[in-house]
Amino acid sequence: PPLPPPVTLEGKALSTVVVAKVLGLFLQSNLKWDRQVCESTKKANKRMFMLRRLKTFGLSVPDLVTVYCSFIRPVVEYCAPVYHHSLTSKQTAALELVQRRACRIILGRHYTGYTSALLQCGLETLETRRMNLCRRFAVSMQTSERTADLMPQTRGESSGRKLRNSKTLTLPKTRTTRFSNSPVPSMIR
């Protein structure tokens, strides 16, 4: 098949790139999130050094958890509603490993396992947090005047009838799993 014509902007052809960084989010041409996960885990692991140093200075466990929640976890959760539903299990495990390492540093020799460490530190898994972030983001999109038109109509609006489930959103028809795992369809479910 012939190549499509180049995309131009103000008479200049735009170059094609494999990875583009937009507002701190790495977008790949194949629509996968390997680079985003790799870069965010790398950045979080660099910040883990601060947690180790503070541990050696004798900070208490609640203070170390606060440092983790303030400086390290936001790096891993940045733009989570955009890519959460498209992550593979390997990528999810790589992100979860950051928190597992942080719990191990925070608790030191009192670390017995990840689930018990989460309870001791008062944390929840990153996957659970990403799901909650996506849920809150979808609700805020639906209630905001600026972004409400990006969400599909409710079933009551599309059918014109008052039904029991008239407040639920109409799911868009998806042919591929990639589209069904994209942010809007997956947040509607």
Side-chain angles (χ1 to χ4, degrees), residues 51-86:
L51 205 60
R52 278 198 191 95
R53 295 293 293 169
L54 291 172
K55 175 78 173 174
T56 60
F57 292 139
L59 243 64
S60 65
V61 170
D63 290 339
L64 289 170
V65 170
T66 303
V67 168
Y68 165 72
C69 292
S70 303
F71 296 110
I72 300 170
R73 188 169 67 184
V75 171
V76 180
E77 291 180 339
Y78 181 70
C79 289
V82 175
Y83 62 83
H84 167 66
H85 294 285
S86 301

Side-chain angles (χ1 to χ4, degrees), residues 19-22 24-28 32-33 35-36 39-40:
V19 178
K21 187 175 181 181
V22 180
L25 184 71
F26 289 93
L27 300 172
Q28 292 178 230
K32 295 188 178 178
W33 298 103
R35 181 75 181 268
Q36 174 65 27
E39 294 296 326
S40 63

Side-chain angles (χ1 to χ4, degrees), residues 62-116:
D63 290 339
L64 289 170
V65 170
T66 303
V67 168
Y68 165 72
C69 292
S70 303
F71 296 110
I72 300 170
R73 188 169 67 184
V75 171
V76 180
E77 291 180 339
Y78 181 70
C79 289
V82 175
Y83 62 83
H84 167 66
H85 294 285
S86 301
L87 291 177
T88 63
S89 57
K90 184 179 177 183
Q91 293 166 340
T92 302
L95 291 172
E96 207 68 49
L97 186 62
V98 171
Q99 184 163 284
R100 181 176 280 134
R101 289 184 63 221
C103 287
R104 185 167 288 184
I105 292 168
I106 291 169
L107 295 176
R109 66 176 189 264
H110 301 290
Y111 180 86
T112 55
Y114 184 52
T115 53
S116 64

